Structure formats: C-alpha cells, structure tokens
C-alpha cells in the first residue's frame, strides 16, 4: 500500500477590485516501489473553503491598505477554523492595477506571519493573463479538445488575454478595459472615470466626468464600445484607440483568432455567462453593464463560447499546490548554496530550445528580459525539456549559448539555474562551469524534473552524498 499524507494550502489573491482567500486540501502519495527512489506527487486536491469576496482596500487609487488586508486575511483564517501554523504552502498574488512594486512590500510586511514561506509575487499583465487562463480551465480545455482557446480575463481595471494552442501559450496581451473604470455612488453620481474610459467615451462623443449623473444610456454606450474594441483586438483589427489603451508592459496580442474558442474569467465574467438580475448600479461601477454589452456583442456571435470552470476566482493562484520530487542522479552544481526558495520558472518551448541547441541566443535573451520585466524576483530558473541523446556538439552549443546569455542578463551575484526533463544535466553543467571564471558564478543543473511557466521552485539540501536534490514545485491548484 502506498503511503499517503495531506497538507493544507492557502491562497490570497489581491486584485484591482477584489480580494479573496481560498483554502485547499492536498493529498500526497508515494508511488515508488520498495526498492526505488521515493517519488511523491499530488494524488488529489480539493478546495475546502472559499472566502467572501471583498473590495480590495486601498489608501489611494494604486496603494493597497496593508492593515485592512491583514484584517481580512485574519478574519478568514478564523472563519475557516485554521491558524497560520496549520498551513504548509500557499501564495499571495497581487494583480491588475494593484500590482505595483510598493504594494508587494506592503503585503509582505503585513502578512509576514501568515505567509512567511509562501510565494509572494506581483503578476505583470502577461503573466496575469497566463495565470487566469489556467485558472479558468481554458488551458485544460485546449489540451483535452486539441484546439485553440482564447481566455479573456476581465477584471476591475484590465482585460488580460491569452491564447492556448493544445496547452501551449501562443499569444498574450492586455488592454485597459474593466468593470471598475467608471464608478458612481449610491446617489447615482459619477465619482471616477479612468483615462481609458475617458478616451473610449470621447471616441463616441461622450464626455463623462466625476460629478455627472450616472446615465444608463451613456455608460452602456461606453461599455458597448469596449466590447467592440475587444472584438477588434483579438480579431487583429488594430486601431489607434486600441494602441492608446494597451496596458503598459504587455505584449502584442498578435495571433489569428479565426477558429478559436472563447472563454471568459474575472469579475465581469459572471455577468457575461449569467446576466445579473440586480440593479445595474448595485456594485457602484460599470461591471454589470460591461457584462451585458459583451454578451450582446460579436464576441458571442463570431466565436464558440465555452463555459469557464472558474470566473472571479480564476486568479486565486495563491492556493498553490506542491509537487515534491527528487532530481535525477546525474546533476551538477559547483557549490552547495542550498536551500533555495521561491524561484520563478521561465520555460522555453521546443522552438526556442532548438535555437539554443544551435547556439543562437537572441530569442533566449529577449525572453529572459521579458521575464525580468514581468516578475518582481531577481532570480529565475530556466527550464526546458532537453534531449534524450544529445550529441557532444549540441551540448557544447547549448552550454555556450546559456552561459553567455545568462551571464549578460542576470545580476552578477545570481546563480545560473537550469532545470531539464531529460537526463543530461551533469554533462551540460560541467561544460557551463568550464566556460565561466572559476567560482565567479554558481551554476546549478538538475534533470528529471518537470516544471511549467509560472511555477515557483524550492530546492532543498542535497541528499544521498549529494547525488540528488529534493525539489518542491509550487503550481496552480486550478487547472
């Protein structure tokens, strides 16, 4: 009988409009035989508690109120019947307009005793798009049906788009379109109009400003224009207006959407799939009208729309799950710098990997720089499949390419960390070590580990006389 154990995971998602907490129970099973190296993996995962959905408390338009966030999290721990000591893993993810550098520090300071060893990360617009697309079930659908799926995650401040082709990310981007961009009070007076909502309204001859009455017809016209812009954007009909409302730091969404299926997530998605029976002013913003406008737009008539498994909770990636395993026994590291904690993964696809095996590093350099812009971490793990039986020349080319590019892009005190699926880490690592001045940079190459984009990895102290390294992969509980 295989050994089993369970752990408790907690996730905290802090977005532009909403904050929520999720607890999950993760079951682990040792699937190895008596005479094999232990292999531990998740055999079951279950969400056991979902918090209320709170308005994200802010000090001003962009700064999170850390003390109020702490009160929310503490109250939800009490309601769920858990203490911080009960939880063994989790993550705090800050997304949308709330994802500012100073907010990460505010959250860390206020939640340190709740999430001391968790992943705490601000997600740039591209990474947020990928995270939401996994959480909504769009990626899994594209794998199961061998098709392309575009996920539109429509939150309070932005719409993050990602396209999966049989599970692989082939396009991503972000526009400043969301349900919180026009706000009004209980008296029906407009209190806030964002820059992007102002530009979109002006294109229709509508000039709405704070202090004006919240007029249904005018705001619905702006919502309809937003829906039309989303249709043009994913349909590759780029306009000057779309360029002006593209979220800074996002990629161009430059894929052909013909034949793609469409999935919606985010706070507005509930109103898209299930039109609200509430008064359109109930939430104090334009979210209900934006959902109605999208449902009546060409996004629904021109695409096959699939139901999301998660909508407003799609980006609750904080309820991370562990996949614990050990590396292969043919690994390489020049110094024992372990343990290493919470290192984000950048994974190369097959085409990008092949260029590296040919010694061509320009694409790798671009992707590394993109990752550094998207993530608030100074470290990263470069992951790839590798090859079953690479030739000496291929390993030499790969070692030279990785060494030169990583040495140029990474901070001088950061290690070069390579994670491969196929058994070739020892040869690659030894070649890389010969290509850098002695002890000038730590180089770690391990294999027999499968990771994915957006995962975070812990590496423990080496075991069995240094032959293997225990690895913990923190990944999404959804998708």
């Amino acid at each position: 009988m295989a050994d089993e154990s369970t752990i408790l995971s907690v996730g905290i998602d802090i977005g532009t409009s909403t904050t929520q907490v999720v607890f999950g129970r993760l079951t682990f099973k040792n699937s190895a035989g008596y005479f094999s190296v232990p292999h531990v993996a998740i055999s079951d995962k279950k969400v056991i508690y979902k918090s209320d959905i709170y308005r994200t408390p802010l000090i001003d338009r962009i700064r999170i109120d850390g003390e109020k966030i702490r009160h929310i999290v503490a109250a939800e721990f009490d309601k769920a019947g858990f203490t911080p000591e009960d939880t063994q893993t989790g993550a705090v993810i800050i997304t949308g307009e709330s994802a500012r550098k100073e907010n990460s520090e505010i959250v860390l300071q206020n939640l340190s005793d709740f999430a001391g060893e968790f992943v705490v990360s601000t997600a740039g617009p591209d990474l947020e798009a990928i995270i939401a697309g996994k959480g909504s079930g769009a990626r899994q659908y594209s794998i199961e049906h061998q098709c392309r799926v575009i996920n539109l995650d429509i939150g309070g401040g932005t719409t993050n788009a990602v396209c999966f082709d049989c599970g692989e990310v082939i396009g991503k981007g972000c526009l400043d379109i969301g349900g919180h961009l026009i706000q009004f009070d209980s008296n029906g007076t407009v209190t806030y109009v964002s820059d992007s909502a102002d530009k979109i309204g002006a294109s229709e001859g509508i000039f709405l400003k704070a202090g004006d009455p919240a007029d249904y017809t005018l705001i619905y016209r702006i919502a309809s224009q937003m829906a039309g812009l989303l249709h043009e954007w994913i349909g590759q009909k780029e306009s000057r207006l779309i360029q002006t409302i593209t979220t800074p730091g996002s990629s161009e969404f430059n894929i052909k959407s013909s034949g793609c299926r469409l999935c919606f997530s985010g706070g507005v998605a509930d109103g898209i799939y299930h039109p609200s029976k509430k008064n359109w002013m109930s939430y104090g913003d334009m979210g209900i009208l934006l959902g109605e406008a999208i449902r009546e737009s060409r996004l629904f008539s021109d695409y096959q729309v699939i139901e999301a498994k998660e909508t407003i909770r799609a980006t609750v990636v904080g309820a991370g799950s562990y996949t614990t395993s050990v590396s292969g026994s043919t690994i390489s590291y020049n110094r024992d710098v372990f343990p290493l904690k919470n290192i984000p993964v950048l994974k190369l696809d097959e085409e990008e990997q092949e260029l590296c095996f040919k010694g061509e590093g320009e694409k790798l350099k671009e992707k590394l720089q993109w990752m550094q812009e998207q993530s608030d971490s100074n470290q990263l793990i470069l992951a790839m499949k590798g090859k079953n039986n690479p030739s000496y020349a291929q390993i030499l080319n790969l070692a030279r390419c990785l060494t030169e590019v990583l040495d140029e892009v990474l901070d001088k005190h950061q290690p070069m960390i390579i994670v491969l699926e196929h058994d070739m880490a020892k040869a690659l690592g030894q070649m890389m070590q010969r290509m850098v001045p002695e002890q000038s940079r730590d180089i770690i190459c391990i294999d027999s580990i499968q990771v994915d984009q957006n995962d975070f990895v812990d590496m423990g102290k080496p075991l069995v006389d240094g032959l293997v390294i225990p690895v913990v992969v923190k990944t999404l509980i959804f998708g």
Side-chain angles (χ1 to χ4, degrees):
M1 177 71 72
D3 295 331
E4 280 192 357
S5 60
T6 61
I7 64 169
L8 184 69
S9 170
V10 61
I12 303 165
D13 176 26
I14 304 168
T16 302
S17 301
T18 61
T19 292
Q20 52 193 308
V21 182
V22 169
F23 287 89
R25 185 79 66 188
L26 309 175
T27 302
F28 292 82
K29 180 180 289 187
N30 180 3
S31 58
Y34 288 108
F35 303 104
S36 304
V37 175
H39 178 74
V40 182
I42 294 172
S43 60
D44 187 44
K45 51 190 176 183
K46 182 182 297 183
V47 174
I48 58 175
Y49 178 84
K50 296 180 181 180
S51 77
D52 294 333
I53 296 170
Y54 298 88
R55 284 281 187 182
T56 298
L58 301 173
I59 296 171
D60 52 37
R61 291 288 175 194
I62 62 171
R63 285 189 301 153
I64 290 170
D65 189 326
E67 189 61 33
K68 288 183 178 178
I69 287 286
R70 178 184 171 78
H71 289 157
I72 289 171
V73 173
E76 289 302 329
F77 265 82
D78 287 341
K79 287 180 187 177
F82 299 120
T83 67
E85 290 73 27
D86 295 325
T87 59
Q88 291 89 359
T89 182
V92 183
I93 303 294
I94 312 170
T95 59
E97 291 183 336
S98 297
R100 312 281 179 174
K101 187 78 172 177
E102 62 267 30
N103 281 335
S104 177
E105 296 167 1
I106 290 169
V107 171
L108 269 173
Q109 181 181 347
N110 284 274
L111 297 183
S112 59
D113 53 339
F114 286 100
E117 294 295 335
F118 294 173
V119 178
V120 179
S121 177
T122 53
D126 287 353
L127 290 183
E128 185 181 352
I130 297 168
I131 286 167
K134 288 184 173 183
S136 72
R139 178 177 179 267
Q140 190 62 33
Y141 185 99
S142 77
I143 294 171
E144 292 173 357
H145 294 81
Q146 291 293 289
C147 66
R148 288 188 175 187
V149 178
I150 296 172
N151 190 78
L152 292 177
D153 185 70
I154 308 172
T158 57
T159 295
N160 303 83
V162 61
C163 183
F164 297 103
D165 186 351
C166 303
E168 294 292 325
V169 175
I170 61 169
K172 52 195 177 296
C174 188
L175 291 186
D176 289 341
I177 287 178
H180 213 49
L181 299 187
I182 298 176
Q183 300 169 33
F184 30 81
D185 60 22
S186 57
N187 297 318
T189 301
V190 174
T191 58
Y192 173 69
V193 179
S194 72
D195 288 343
S196 60
D198 185 54
K199 292 171 184 174
I200 294 167
S203 72
E204 288 285 291
I206 301 169
F207 301 94
L208 200 64
K209 62 183 183 301
D212 288 348
D215 183 275
Y216 173 92
T217 302
L218 293 181
I219 296 175
Y220 186 81
R221 281 176 60 192
I222 294 173
S224 294
Q225 178 71 348
M226 288 180 175
L229 288 168
L230 290 175
H231 181 271
E232 291 178 17
W233 181 47
I234 67 172
Q236 291 291 287
K237 295 178 182 176
E238 194 77 12
S239 68
R240 186 174 183 82
L241 181 55
I242 289 174
Q243 291 173 359
T244 64
I245 62 169
T246 296
T247 306
S250 69
S251 298
E252 279 188 46
F253 191 75
N254 54 359
I255 61 102
K256 292 181 180 179
S257 61
S258 178
C260 290
R261 299 173 197 187
L262 205 55
C263 185
F264 295 95
S265 62
V268 174
D270 284 329
I272 297 172
Y273 289 116
H274 311 290
S276 177
K277 295 179 181 178
K278 294 184 178 181
N279 183 288
W280 67 277
M281 301 180 73
S282 295
Y283 298 117
D285 62 32
M286 67 178 296
I288 289 177
L289 294 189
L290 181 56
E292 290 178 4
I294 288 172
R295 190 173 181 85
E296 297 300 318
S297 74
R298 291 180 62 187
L299 288 167
F300 260 71
S301 59
D302 289 1
Y303 295 92
Q304 179 184 340
V305 176
I306 63 173
E307 190 88 14
K309 290 185 177 180
E310 294 288 340
T311 52
I312 195 169
R313 299 186 191 277
T315 51
V316 187
V317 298
S321 60
Y322 275 128
T323 300
T324 306
S325 57
V326 293
S327 70
S329 57
T330 54
I331 60 174
S332 173
Y333 54 93
N334 52 345
R335 285 190 298 179
D336 184 352
V337 294
F338 307 98
L340 299 172
K341 292 277 190 179
N342 294 339
I343 308 175
V345 171
L346 175 66
K347 187 167 186 179
L348 302 185
D349 61 29
E350 301 240 2
E351 181 182 347
E352 292 162 341
Q353 171 183 285
E354 202 56 40
L355 289 172
C356 293
F357 271 106
K358 293 177 181 177
E360 300 173 18
E362 196 57 39
K363 282 278 189 183
L364 173 62
K365 182 178 176 181
E366 289 177 10
K367 195 159 186 175
L368 286 166
Q369 290 172 334
W370 167 81
M371 180 70 171
Q372 289 184 324
E373 291 170 0
Q374 293 290 315
S375 173
D376 59 352
S377 173
N378 291 324
Q379 294 182 308
L380 62 82
I381 285 172
L382 186 63
M384 65 187 78
K385 285 188 176 180
K387 292 180 181 289
N388 264 326
N389 294 297
S391 67
Y392 176 84
Q394 286 176 320
I395 297 178
L396 184 62
N397 284 339
L398 179 63
R400 185 177 292 116
C401 176
L402 298 184
T403 302
E404 290 176 357
V405 174
L406 289 170
D407 195 47
E408 179 182 352
V409 174
L410 293 180
D411 291 342
K412 294 303 177 186
H413 64 285
Q414 298 298 342
M416 299 180 187
I417 309 175
I418 315 298
V419 172
L420 305 123
E421 293 180 31
H422 291 302
D423 184 4
M424 55 174 288
K426 194 175 190 72
L428 176 63
Q430 289 176 342
M431 282 192 184
M432 291 179 67
Q433 288 170 24
R434 289 199 294 267
M435 293 176 182
V436 297
E438 188 174 357
Q439 300 298 319
S440 67
R441 172 103 60 176
D442 292 311
I443 298 174
I444 301 162
C445 287
I446 67 171
D447 55 31
S448 302
I449 297 294
Q450 187 171 5
V451 292
D452 207 350
Q453 190 77 24
N454 305 329
D455 288 345
F456 290 78
V457 172
D458 293 350
M459 295 183 182
K461 298 289 285 185
L463 305 173
V464 195
D465 295 328
L467 290 178
V468 296
I469 294 171
V471 177
V472 172
V473 180
K474 299 174 182 178
T475 185
L476 305 180
I477 195 167
F478 298 121

